[in-house]
Amino acid sequence: MIRCIAIDDEPLALQQLAAYIKKTPFLELVAQCQSAIEARQFLEKDTVDAIFCDINMPDLNGMDFVKSLQVPPLIVFTTAYSEYAVEGFKVNAVDYLLKPFGMQDFQRAANRLRERAQEVSGFRFQVSGSDSPLTSHSSPLTSESDDVIFLKTDYRVVKVTISEIRYIEAMSEYLKIFIEGEAKPIVTLLSMKKMEEKLPENFMRIHRSYIVNLTKIQEINKNRIIMDAETFLPIGDMYKEAFQKYIDTKFLGK
């Protein structure tokens, strides 16, 4: 079970949020708080795996409350103001529920929360049984997790399987991550250097603006890498030598 608390200064909104949590088999509601200050007092005595938190609250708003936590659990923000989505993005929120939301929207966020918890901790939840809280009995990361990274996009955090990345394109301060089988790339605020540090050896920087998954290359034509019939990536001058050395190690023939 995912132990969680619900925070909202509006009694009816808190009651609805608590009801949704109680209807979700893999969530355990351990506290309902009508302010961030009340939630902080609870967290001084107990630990949780996730927080469903309203943003616009008096005295201490939900965003500042989450930022004040030294080791914040997984966060799902709830608010009536869509402009807070960008701020939620910055604090690595799992999801963002815009009020008024129904059970279907809540379940979408809850499922993302469960997926994030599973991948981060290696923990697997059961709908029933003697599940232990993540905070005290998390399993170590499995080898399968080595092929997974998490990226912020829009106001969400999405899981990306590294081996399914075809290539990466730099776009000012952002990266476009092109995934096998996906029509649109994932756009995330990240540097090429930071991304390179997380990628395995089968990825190579071929241009100031491109990193390519070497296993996804279809053809090399002069100074271009052909990924498919519509995708041609340039090889930059300063990267040609390293790329050619790689080709030489794989080349068969005269």
Side-chain angles (χ1 to χ4, degrees):
M1 299 284 283
I2 301 177
R3 288 165 48 85
C4 55
I5 59 174
I7 311 171
D8 201 307
D9 65 309
E10 299 177 8
L12 290 178
L14 181 60
Q15 182 179 350
Q16 180 191 54
L17 181 59
Y20 288 160
I21 293 173
K22 291 175 182 178
K23 290 179 181 179
T24 306
F26 53 84
L27 298 180
E28 178 188 1
L29 181 64
V30 296
Q32 300 178 50
C33 304
Q34 288 192 268
S35 71
I37 295 174
E38 182 182 344
R40 177 180 286 170
Q41 292 172 346
F42 175 85
L43 292 175
E44 289 175 354
K45 302 175 182 178
D46 205 346
T47 57
V48 297
D49 306 311
I51 297 175
F52 289 85
C53 184
D54 184 31
I55 294 178
N56 193 30
M57 295 185 290
D59 298 325
L60 178 63
N61 71 48
M63 196 70 65
D64 291 337
F65 164 66
V66 170
K67 290 178 180 178
S68 73
L69 299 176
Q70 290 187 347
V71 185
L74 301 175
I75 304 295
V76 174
F77 283 119
T78 66
T79 183
Y81 302 94
S82 60
E83 62 267 25
Y84 283 116
V86 174
E87 288 299 312
F89 175 95
K90 290 180 181 178
V91 299
N92 202 24
V94 174
D95 208 347
Y96 173 93
L97 286 166
L98 185 62
K99 296 178 180 178
F101 55 86
M103 186 61 179
Q104 185 175 356
D105 292 327
F106 179 85
Q107 283 300 314
R108 181 205 70 215
N111 287 333
R112 286 177 179 164
L113 183 70
R114 176 171 60 175
E115 181 178 344
R116 179 74 181 278
Q118 289 173 339
E119 295 300 337
V120 169
S121 69
F123 192 85
R124 290 296 177 268
F125 299 100
Q126 299 174 353
V127 172
S128 61
S130 56
D131 293 343
S132 300
L134 285 176
T135 47
S136 58
H137 297 289
S138 299
S139 301
L141 290 173
T142 63
S143 58
E144 182 179 340
S145 300
D146 295 338
D147 193 38
V148 167
I149 55 176
F150 288 91
L151 297 173
K152 300 176 187 176
T153 180
D154 297 326
Y155 58 84
R156 300 177 295 121
V157 176
V158 298
K159 181 186 75 171
V160 176
T161 302
I162 295 174
S163 58
E164 294 178 356
I165 297 175
R166 298 177 63 235
Y167 66 96
I168 299 163
E169 179 182 358
M171 184 179 61
S172 185
E173 297 179 344
Y174 291 82
L175 297 182
K176 295 168 70 175
I177 317 294
F178 292 83
I179 308 295
E180 193 78 44
E182 298 291 336
K184 294 183 179 180
I186 294 171
V187 180
T188 184
L189 179 63
L190 196 65
S191 69
M192 288 286 267
K193 181 179 179 181
K194 188 74 174 288
M195 177 58 78
E196 281 186 286
E197 292 173 353
K198 292 294 184 182
L199 295 174
E201 294 181 356
N202 58 296
F203 284 82
M204 180 177 287
R205 185 87 171 260
I206 59 161
H207 187 275
R208 182 170 56 88
S209 300
Y210 292 99
I211 297 174
V212 65
N213 184 340
L214 298 169
T215 67
K216 305 294 184 182
I217 294 174
Q218 288 190 1
E219 186 178 332
I220 303 162
N221 189 338
K222 296 182 179 179
N223 292 327
R224 297 189 305 173
I225 291 175
I226 300 174
M227 304 298 292
D228 55 49
E230 299 177 352
T231 308
F232 304 85
L233 307 181
I235 304 173
D237 290 340
M238 66 182 296
Y239 302 95
K240 285 181 181 178
E241 183 177 353
F243 182 70
Q244 186 59 51
K245 286 182 179 179
Y246 164 77
I247 295 301
D248 290 343
T249 64
K250 304 293 183 181
F251 187 75
L252 297 179
K254 297 182 180 179

mmCIF file of all heavy atoms in Angstrom, residues 116-160:
data_model
loop_
_atom_site.group_PDB
_atom_site.id
_atom_site.type_symbol
_atom_site.label_atom_id
_atom_site.label_comp_id
_atom_site.label_asym_id
_atom_site.label_seq_id
_atom_site.Cartn_x
_atom_site.Cartn_y
_atom_site.Cartn_z
ATOM 1 N N ARG A 116 5.203 5.531 -10.615
ATOM 2 C CA ARG A 116 6.415 6.229 -10.176
ATOM 3 C C ARG A 116 6.997 5.579 -8.932
ATOM 4 O O ARG A 116 8.210 5.383 -8.822
ATOM 5 C CB ARG A 116 6.081 7.695 -9.902
ATOM 6 C CG ARG A 116 7.276 8.516 -9.417
ATOM 7 C CD ARG A 116 8.251 8.811 -10.533
ATOM 8 N NE ARG A 116 9.382 9.555 -10.050
ATOM 9 C CZ ARG A 116 9.382 10.878 -9.859
ATOM 10 N NH1 ARG A 116 8.299 11.589 -10.130
ATOM 11 N NH2 ARG A 116 10.465 11.475 -9.429
ATOM 12 N N ALA A 117 6.123 5.228 -7.998
ATOM 13 C CA ALA A 117 6.588 4.593 -6.764
ATOM 14 C C ALA A 117 7.234 3.251 -7.045
ATOM 15 O O ALA A 117 8.266 2.901 -6.473
ATOM 16 C CB ALA A 117 5.422 4.432 -5.796
ATOM 17 N N GLN A 118 6.652 2.483 -7.951
ATOM 18 C CA GLN A 118 7.192 1.170 -8.295
ATOM 19 C C GLN A 118 8.573 1.284 -8.940
ATOM 20 O O GLN A 118 9.501 0.559 -8.594
ATOM 21 C CB GLN A 118 6.239 0.445 -9.243
ATOM 22 C CG GLN A 118 4.961 -0.023 -8.595
ATOM 23 C CD GLN A 118 3.964 -0.592 -9.599
ATOM 24 O OE1 GLN A 118 4.047 -0.309 -10.789
ATOM 25 N NE2 GLN A 118 3.034 -1.377 -9.124
ATOM 26 N N GLU A 119 8.710 2.208 -9.869
ATOM 27 C CA GLU A 119 9.971 2.320 -10.599
ATOM 28 C C GLU A 119 11.075 2.915 -9.740
ATOM 29 O O GLU A 119 12.232 2.508 -9.820
ATOM 30 C CB GLU A 119 9.776 3.177 -11.856
ATOM 31 C CG GLU A 119 8.839 2.562 -12.886
ATOM 32 C CD GLU A 119 9.330 1.219 -13.388
ATOM 33 O OE1 GLU A 119 10.535 0.955 -13.291
ATOM 34 O OE2 GLU A 119 8.509 0.431 -13.868
ATOM 35 N N VAL A 120 10.727 3.881 -8.916
ATOM 36 C CA VAL A 120 11.737 4.522 -8.075
ATOM 37 C C VAL A 120 12.254 3.579 -7.005
ATOM 38 O O VAL A 120 13.435 3.554 -6.689
ATOM 39 C CB VAL A 120 11.156 5.797 -7.426
ATOM 40 C CG1 VAL A 120 12.087 6.336 -6.351
ATOM 41 C CG2 VAL A 120 10.935 6.853 -8.501
ATOM 42 N N SER A 121 11.360 2.765 -6.458
ATOM 43 C CA SER A 121 11.744 1.937 -5.315
ATOM 44 C C SER A 121 11.973 0.478 -5.641
ATOM 45 O O SER A 121 12.527 -0.257 -4.844
ATOM 46 C CB SER A 121 10.653 2.015 -4.249
ATOM 47 O OG SER A 121 9.496 1.367 -4.713
ATOM 48 N N GLY A 122 11.521 0.036 -6.808
ATOM 49 C CA GLY A 122 11.581 -1.381 -7.114
ATOM 50 C C GLY A 122 10.485 -2.149 -6.407
ATOM 51 O O GLY A 122 10.416 -3.367 -6.471
ATOM 52 N N PHE A 123 9.583 -1.441 -5.739
ATOM 53 C CA PHE A 123 8.511 -2.059 -4.956
ATOM 54 C C PHE A 123 7.358 -2.436 -5.868
ATOM 55 O O PHE A 123 7.065 -1.739 -6.825
ATOM 56 C CB PHE A 123 8.032 -1.073 -3.886
ATOM 57 C CG PHE A 123 7.145 -1.674 -2.828
ATOM 58 C CD1 PHE A 123 7.707 -2.293 -1.735
ATOM 59 C CD2 PHE A 123 5.775 -1.595 -2.935
ATOM 60 C CE1 PHE A 123 6.891 -2.821 -0.743
ATOM 61 C CE2 PHE A 123 4.962 -2.123 -1.955
ATOM 62 C CZ PHE A 123 5.521 -2.736 -0.862
ATOM 63 N N ARG A 124 6.694 -3.533 -5.595
ATOM 64 C CA ARG A 124 5.536 -3.955 -6.373
ATOM 65 C C ARG A 124 4.327 -4.039 -5.449
ATOM 66 O O ARG A 124 4.368 -4.699 -4.405
ATOM 67 C CB ARG A 124 5.790 -5.325 -7.039
ATOM 68 C CG ARG A 124 6.821 -5.262 -8.153
ATOM 69 C CD ARG A 124 6.324 -4.370 -9.299
ATOM 70 N NE ARG A 124 7.313 -4.237 -10.354
ATOM 71 C CZ ARG A 124 8.202 -3.262 -10.409
ATOM 72 N NH1 ARG A 124 8.252 -2.366 -9.444
ATOM 73 N NH2 ARG A 124 9.038 -3.192 -11.431
ATOM 74 N N PHE A 125 3.264 -3.360 -5.828
ATOM 75 C CA PHE A 125 2.082 -3.305 -4.981
ATOM 76 C C PHE A 125 1.089 -4.396 -5.344
ATOM 77 O O PHE A 125 0.974 -4.787 -6.493
ATOM 78 C CB PHE A 125 1.386 -1.943 -5.136
ATOM 79 C CG PHE A 125 2.256 -0.804 -4.739
ATOM 80 C CD1 PHE A 125 2.915 -0.060 -5.701
ATOM 81 C CD2 PHE A 125 2.433 -0.488 -3.409
ATOM 82 C CE1 PHE A 125 3.728 0.986 -5.331
ATOM 83 C CE2 PHE A 125 3.231 0.558 -3.040
ATOM 84 C CZ PHE A 125 3.880 1.301 -4.003
ATOM 85 N N GLN A 126 0.339 -4.845 -4.353
ATOM 86 C CA GLN A 126 -0.756 -5.773 -4.558
ATOM 87 C C GLN A 126 -2.040 -5.070 -4.141
ATOM 88 O O GLN A 126 -2.042 -4.217 -3.265
ATOM 89 C CB GLN A 126 -0.566 -7.034 -3.707
ATOM 90 C CG GLN A 126 0.720 -7.783 -4.052
ATOM 91 C CD GLN A 126 0.945 -8.926 -3.094
ATOM 92 O OE1 GLN A 126 0.222 -9.062 -2.119
ATOM 93 N NE2 GLN A 126 1.926 -9.733 -3.374
ATOM 94 N N VAL A 127 -3.146 -5.441 -4.769
ATOM 95 C CA VAL A 127 -4.414 -4.818 -4.428
ATOM 96 C C VAL A 127 -4.823 -5.180 -3.011
ATOM 97 O O VAL A 127 -5.398 -4.402 -2.287
ATOM 98 C CB VAL A 127 -5.510 -5.242 -5.438
ATOM 99 C CG1 VAL A 127 -6.874 -4.771 -4.980
ATOM 100 C CG2 VAL A 127 -5.199 -4.683 -6.812
ATOM 101 N N SER A 128 -4.508 -6.376 -2.582
ATOM 102 C CA SER A 128 -4.801 -6.776 -1.208
ATOM 103 C C SER A 128 -3.619 -7.561 -0.664
ATOM 104 O O SER A 128 -2.751 -7.985 -1.401
ATOM 105 C CB SER A 128 -6.059 -7.644 -1.162
ATOM 106 O OG SER A 128 -5.858 -8.827 -1.924
ATOM 107 N N GLY A 129 -3.617 -7.750 0.652
ATOM 108 C CA GLY A 129 -2.511 -8.500 1.247
ATOM 109 C C GLY A 129 -1.734 -7.629 2.211
ATOM 110 O O GLY A 129 -2.110 -6.502 2.503
ATOM 111 N N SER A 130 -0.609 -8.142 2.705
ATOM 112 C CA SER A 130 0.151 -7.446 3.732
ATOM 113 C C SER A 130 1.280 -6.648 3.109
ATOM 114 O O SER A 130 2.450 -6.941 3.328
ATOM 115 C CB SER A 130 0.721 -8.454 4.736
ATOM 116 O OG SER A 130 1.504 -9.418 4.052
ATOM 117 N N ASP A 131 0.934 -5.636 2.313
ATOM 118 C CA ASP A 131 1.948 -4.761 1.729
ATOM 119 C C ASP A 131 2.555 -3.892 2.816
ATOM 120 O O ASP A 131 1.878 -3.402 3.698
ATOM 121 C CB ASP A 131 1.343 -3.862 0.651
ATOM 122 C CG ASP A 131 0.877 -4.668 -0.551
ATOM 123 O OD1 ASP A 131 1.303 -5.827 -0.682
ATOM 124 O OD2 ASP A 131 0.084 -4.124 -1.324
ATOM 125 N N SER A 132 3.835 -3.632 2.719
ATOM 126 C CA SER A 132 4.508 -2.766 3.672
ATOM 127 C C SER A 132 4.692 -1.389 3.070
ATOM 128 O O SER A 132 4.804 -1.248 1.867
ATOM 129 C CB SER A 132 5.899 -3.341 4.027
ATOM 130 O OG SER A 132 5.758 -4.616 4.604
ATOM 131 N N PRO A 133 4.770 -0.329 3.874
ATOM 132 C CA PRO A 133 4.953 1.011 3.359
ATOM 133 C C PRO A 133 6.283 1.141 2.630
ATOM 134 O O PRO A 133 7.294 0.565 3.027
ATOM 135 C CB PRO A 133 4.943 1.893 4.634
ATOM 136 C CG PRO A 133 4.236 1.067 5.655
ATOM 137 C CD PRO A 133 4.586 -0.351 5.330
ATOM 138 N N LEU A 134 6.299 1.970 1.631
ATOM 139 C CA LEU A 134 7.540 2.202 0.889
ATOM 140 C C LEU A 134 8.611 2.800 1.772
ATOM 141 O O LEU A 134 9.792 2.510 1.628
ATOM 142 C CB LEU A 134 7.259 3.185 -0.260
ATOM 143 C CG LEU A 134 6.511 2.662 -1.479
ATOM 144 C CD1 LEU A 134 6.263 3.814 -2.431
ATOM 145 C CD2 LEU A 134 7.292 1.568 -2.160
ATOM 146 N N THR A 135 8.207 3.672 2.667
ATOM 147 C CA THR A 135 9.187 4.426 3.420
ATOM 148 C C THR A 135 10.031 3.557 4.335
ATOM 149 O O THR A 135 11.138 3.913 4.698
ATOM 150 C CB THR A 135 8.477 5.483 4.281
ATOM 151 O OG1 THR A 135 7.369 4.862 4.958
ATOM 152 C CG2 THR A 135 7.943 6.601 3.416
ATOM 153 N N SER A 136 9.529 2.392 4.722
ATOM 154 C CA SER A 136 10.282 1.573 5.664
ATOM 155 C C SER A 136 10.729 0.232 5.118
ATOM 156 O O SER A 136 11.628 -0.376 5.664
ATOM 157 C CB SER A 136 9.426 1.344 6.916
ATOM 158 O OG SER A 136 8.199 0.719 6.565
ATOM 159 N N HIS A 137 10.098 -0.224 4.001
ATOM 160 C CA HIS A 137 10.445 -1.549 3.506
ATOM 161 C C HIS A 137 10.621 -1.554 1.992
ATOM 162 O O HIS A 137 10.161 -2.450 1.309
ATOM 163 C CB HIS A 137 9.359 -2.559 3.896
ATOM 164 C CG HIS A 137 9.214 -2.715 5.375
ATOM 165 N ND1 HIS A 137 10.152 -3.328 6.150
ATOM 166 C CD2 HIS A 137 8.239 -2.304 6.222
ATOM 167 C CE1 HIS A 137 9.755 -3.321 7.426
ATOM 168 N NE2 HIS A 137 8.600 -2.693 7.483
ATOM 169 N N SER A 138 11.253 -0.548 1.444
ATOM 170 C CA SER A 138 11.442 -0.488 -0.003
ATOM 171 C C SER A 138 12.456 -1.521 -0.454
ATOM 172 O O SER A 138 13.474 -1.758 0.193
ATOM 173 C CB SER A 138 11.950 0.904 -0.408
ATOM 174 O OG SER A 138 10.998 1.874 -0.050
ATOM 175 N N SER A 139 12.180 -2.130 -1.608
ATOM 176 C CA SER A 139 13.122 -3.081 -2.181
ATOM 177 C C SER A 139 14.205 -2.332 -2.932
ATOM 178 O O SER A 139 13.982 -1.228 -3.423
ATOM 179 C CB SER A 139 12.382 -4.014 -3.153
ATOM 180 O OG SER A 139 11.364 -4.701 -2.491
ATOM 181 N N PRO A 140 15.406 -2.892 -3.074
ATOM 182 C CA PRO A 140 16.459 -2.217 -3.819
ATOM 183 C C PRO A 140 16.104 -2.167 -5.291
ATOM 184 O O PRO A 140 15.298 -2.935 -5.785
ATOM 185 C CB PRO A 140 17.685 -3.125 -3.571
ATOM 186 C CG PRO A 140 17.100 -4.462 -3.242
ATOM 187 C CD PRO A 140 15.830 -4.182 -2.512
ATOM 188 N N LEU A 141 16.730 -1.231 -5.993
ATOM 189 C CA LEU A 141 16.516 -1.115 -7.421
ATOM 190 C C LEU A 141 16.959 -2.381 -8.125
ATOM 191 O O LEU A 141 18.001 -2.953 -7.818
ATOM 192 C CB LEU A 141 17.301 0.082 -7.983
ATOM 193 C CG LEU A 141 16.789 1.464 -7.579
ATOM 194 C CD1 LEU A 141 17.752 2.527 -8.068
ATOM 195 C CD2 LEU A 141 15.406 1.710 -8.147
ATOM 196 N N THR A 142 16.176 -2.815 -9.093
ATOM 197 C CA THR A 142 16.531 -4.008 -9.839
ATOM 198 C C THR A 142 17.354 -3.634 -11.050
ATOM 199 O O THR A 142 17.434 -2.480 -11.454
ATOM 200 C CB THR A 142 15.253 -4.722 -10.302
ATOM 201 O OG1 THR A 142 14.537 -3.861 -11.199
ATOM 202 C CG2 THR A 142 14.356 -5.051 -9.128
ATOM 203 N N SER A 143 17.962 -4.621 -11.696
ATOM 204 C CA SER A 143 18.763 -4.359 -12.883
ATOM 205 C C SER A 143 17.911 -3.794 -14.004
ATOM 206 O O SER A 143 18.385 -3.046 -14.857
ATOM 207 C CB SER A 143 19.452 -5.657 -13.349
ATOM 208 O OG SER A 143 18.484 -6.668 -13.608
ATOM 209 N N GLU A 144 16.622 -4.151 -14.004
ATOM 210 C CA GLU A 144 15.705 -3.631 -15.011
ATOM 211 C C GLU A 144 15.599 -2.111 -14.917
ATOM 212 O O GLU A 144 15.426 -1.423 -15.919
ATOM 213 C CB GLU A 144 14.328 -4.257 -14.812
ATOM 214 C CG GLU A 144 13.292 -3.831 -15.839
ATOM 215 C CD GLU A 144 11.953 -4.497 -15.610
ATOM 216 O OE1 GLU A 144 11.934 -5.538 -14.923
ATOM 217 O OE2 GLU A 144 10.951 -3.987 -16.109
ATOM 218 N N SER A 145 15.743 -1.576 -13.707
ATOM 219 C CA SER A 145 15.647 -0.135 -13.500
ATOM 220 C C SER A 145 16.806 0.615 -14.138
ATOM 221 O O SER A 145 16.722 1.824 -14.333
ATOM 222 C CB SER A 145 15.586 0.173 -12.001
ATOM 223 O OG SER A 145 14.467 -0.437 -11.415
ATOM 224 N N ASP A 146 17.903 -0.067 -14.440
ATOM 225 C CA ASP A 146 19.039 0.584 -15.070
ATOM 226 C C ASP A 146 18.699 1.081 -16.466
ATOM 227 O O ASP A 146 19.400 1.915 -17.022
ATOM 228 C CB ASP A 146 20.235 -0.378 -15.148
ATOM 229 C CG ASP A 146 20.762 -0.744 -13.766
ATOM 230 O OD1 ASP A 146 20.504 0.034 -12.833
ATOM 231 O OD2 ASP A 146 21.421 -1.786 -13.637
ATOM 232 N N ASP A 147 17.638 0.567 -17.055
ATOM 233 C CA ASP A 147 17.228 0.974 -18.402
ATOM 234 C C ASP A 147 16.096 1.988 -18.348
ATOM 235 O O ASP A 147 15.425 2.228 -19.342
ATOM 236 C CB ASP A 147 16.802 -0.266 -19.216
ATOM 237 C CG ASP A 147 16.655 0.028 -20.705
ATOM 238 O OD1 ASP A 147 17.476 0.804 -21.231
ATOM 239 O OD2 ASP A 147 15.728 -0.507 -21.338
ATOM 240 N N VAL A 148 15.910 2.615 -17.189
ATOM 241 C CA VAL A 148 14.803 3.549 -17.017
ATOM 242 C C VAL A 148 15.309 4.879 -16.472
ATOM 243 O O VAL A 148 16.162 4.926 -15.588
ATOM 244 C CB VAL A 148 13.746 2.963 -16.051
ATOM 245 C CG1 VAL A 148 12.757 4.026 -15.610
ATOM 246 C CG2 VAL A 148 13.005 1.804 -16.702
ATOM 247 N N ILE A 149 14.790 5.966 -17.045
ATOM 248 C CA ILE A 149 15.008 7.290 -16.479
ATOM 249 C C ILE A 149 13.648 7.984 -16.379
ATOM 250 O O ILE A 149 12.679 7.565 -17.009
ATOM 251 C CB ILE A 149 15.962 8.154 -17.339
ATOM 252 C CG1 ILE A 149 15.458 8.254 -18.786
ATOM 253 C CG2 ILE A 149 17.377 7.612 -17.280
ATOM 254 C CD1 ILE A 149 16.295 9.171 -19.664
ATOM 255 N N PHE A 150 13.580 9.031 -15.575
ATOM 256 C CA PHE A 150 12.363 9.825 -15.458
ATOM 257 C C PHE A 150 12.649 11.242 -15.925
ATOM 258 O O PHE A 150 13.678 11.834 -15.574
ATOM 259 C CB PHE A 150 11.860 9.838 -14.016
ATOM 260 C CG PHE A 150 11.268 8.530 -13.590
ATOM 261 C CD1 PHE A 150 12.057 7.551 -12.995
ATOM 262 C CD2 PHE A 150 9.921 8.274 -13.791
ATOM 263 C CE1 PHE A 150 11.512 6.345 -12.609
ATOM 264 C CE2 PHE A 150 9.365 7.064 -13.408
ATOM 265 C CZ PHE A 150 10.161 6.096 -12.815
ATOM 266 N N LEU A 151 11.739 11.790 -16.737
ATOM 267 C CA LEU A 151 11.916 13.125 -17.295
ATOM 268 C C LEU A 151 10.683 13.974 -17.022
ATOM 269 O O LEU A 151 9.560 13.498 -17.086
ATOM 270 C CB LEU A 151 12.142 13.043 -18.812
ATOM 271 C CG LEU A 151 13.406 12.303 -19.274
ATOM 272 C CD1 LEU A 151 13.394 12.154 -20.787
ATOM 273 C CD2 LEU A 151 14.659 13.041 -18.826
ATOM 274 N N LYS A 152 10.906 15.250 -16.742
ATOM 275 C CA LYS A 152 9.806 16.191 -16.583
ATOM 276 C C LYS A 152 9.376 16.674 -17.964
ATOM 277 O O LYS A 152 10.208 17.083 -18.775
ATOM 278 C CB LYS A 152 10.250 17.402 -15.766
ATOM 279 C CG LYS A 152 10.725 17.089 -14.361
ATOM 280 C CD LYS A 152 11.224 18.353 -13.706
ATOM 281 C CE LYS A 152 11.870 18.080 -12.363
ATOM 282 N NZ LYS A 152 12.440 19.303 -11.767
ATOM 283 N N THR A 153 8.094 16.648 -18.234
ATOM 284 C CA THR A 153 7.563 17.193 -19.476
ATOM 285 C C THR A 153 6.195 17.789 -19.181
ATOM 286 O O THR A 153 5.363 17.156 -18.539
ATOM 287 C CB THR A 153 7.475 16.127 -20.586
ATOM 288 O OG1 THR A 153 6.956 16.723 -21.780
ATOM 289 C CG2 THR A 153 6.635 14.939 -20.179
ATOM 290 N N ASP A 154 5.974 19.020 -19.621
ATOM 291 C CA ASP A 154 4.793 19.773 -19.223
ATOM 292 C C ASP A 154 4.776 19.816 -17.701
ATOM 293 O O ASP A 154 5.742 20.215 -17.084
ATOM 294 C CB ASP A 154 3.520 19.127 -19.790
ATOM 295 C CG ASP A 154 3.513 19.137 -21.320
ATOM 296 O OD1 ASP A 154 4.046 20.093 -21.886
ATOM 297 O OD2 ASP A 154 2.992 18.195 -21.928
ATOM 298 N N TYR A 155 3.697 19.374 -17.081
ATOM 299 C CA TYR A 155 3.640 19.346 -15.620
ATOM 300 C C TYR A 155 3.713 17.920 -15.092
ATOM 301 O O TYR A 155 3.440 17.660 -13.934
ATOM 302 C CB TYR A 155 2.350 20.022 -15.117
ATOM 303 C CG TYR A 155 1.077 19.400 -15.645
ATOM 304 C CD1 TYR A 155 0.516 18.285 -15.034
ATOM 305 C CD2 TYR A 155 0.440 19.930 -16.769
ATOM 306 C CE1 TYR A 155 -0.641 17.706 -15.509
ATOM 307 C CE2 TYR A 155 -0.725 19.348 -17.249
ATOM 308 C CZ TYR A 155 -1.258 18.250 -16.614
ATOM 309 O OH TYR A 155 -2.409 17.680 -17.096
ATOM 310 N N ARG A 156 4.116 16.981 -15.958
ATOM 311 C CA ARG A 156 4.153 15.572 -15.576
ATOM 312 C C ARG A 156 5.593 15.084 -15.463
ATOM 313 O O ARG A 156 6.525 15.704 -15.953
ATOM 314 C CB ARG A 156 3.417 14.723 -16.617
ATOM 315 C CG ARG A 156 1.961 15.090 -16.797
ATOM 316 C CD ARG A 156 1.320 14.252 -17.888
ATOM 317 N NE ARG A 156 1.892 14.521 -19.196
ATOM 318 C CZ ARG A 156 2.492 13.620 -19.973
ATOM 319 N NH1 ARG A 156 2.606 12.371 -19.573
ATOM 320 N NH2 ARG A 156 2.970 13.962 -21.148
ATOM 321 N N VAL A 157 5.746 13.956 -14.818
ATOM 322 C CA VAL A 157 7.013 13.229 -14.818
ATOM 323 C C VAL A 157 6.749 11.898 -15.501
ATOM 324 O O VAL A 157 5.880 11.139 -15.078
ATOM 325 C CB VAL A 157 7.532 13.001 -13.380
ATOM 326 C CG1 VAL A 157 8.798 12.149 -13.409
ATOM 327 C CG2 VAL A 157 7.807 14.326 -12.696
ATOM 328 N N VAL A 158 7.467 11.626 -16.572
ATOM 329 C CA VAL A 158 7.207 10.420 -17.355
ATOM 330 C C VAL A 158 8.401 9.470 -17.296
ATOM 331 O O VAL A 158 9.546 9.890 -17.192
ATOM 332 C CB VAL A 158 6.874 10.755 -18.831
ATOM 333 C CG1 VAL A 158 5.620 11.583 -18.921
ATOM 334 C CG2 VAL A 158 8.038 11.474 -19.502
ATOM 335 N N LYS A 159 8.086 8.191 -17.363
ATOM 336 C CA LYS A 159 9.120 7.157 -17.401
ATOM 337 C C LYS A 159 9.559 6.943 -18.844
ATOM 338 O O LYS A 159 8.733 6.844 -19.745
ATOM 339 C CB LYS A 159 8.578 5.847 -16.819
ATOM 340 C CG LYS A 159 9.606 4.724 -16.797
ATOM 341 C CD LYS A 159 8.975 3.411 -16.354
ATOM 342 C CE LYS A 159 8.122 2.817 -17.465
ATOM 343 N NZ LYS A 159 7.662 1.446 -17.150
ATOM 344 N N VAL A 160 10.859 6.853 -19.061
ATOM 345 C CA VAL A 160 11.409 6.608 -20.395
ATOM 346 C C VAL A 160 12.330 5.396 -20.332
ATOM 347 O O VAL A 160 13.223 5.334 -19.481
ATOM 348 C CB VAL A 160 12.196 7.830 -20.915
ATOM 349 C CG1 VAL A 160 12.855 7.522 -22.256
ATOM 350 C CG2 VAL A 160 11.276 9.038 -21.039
#
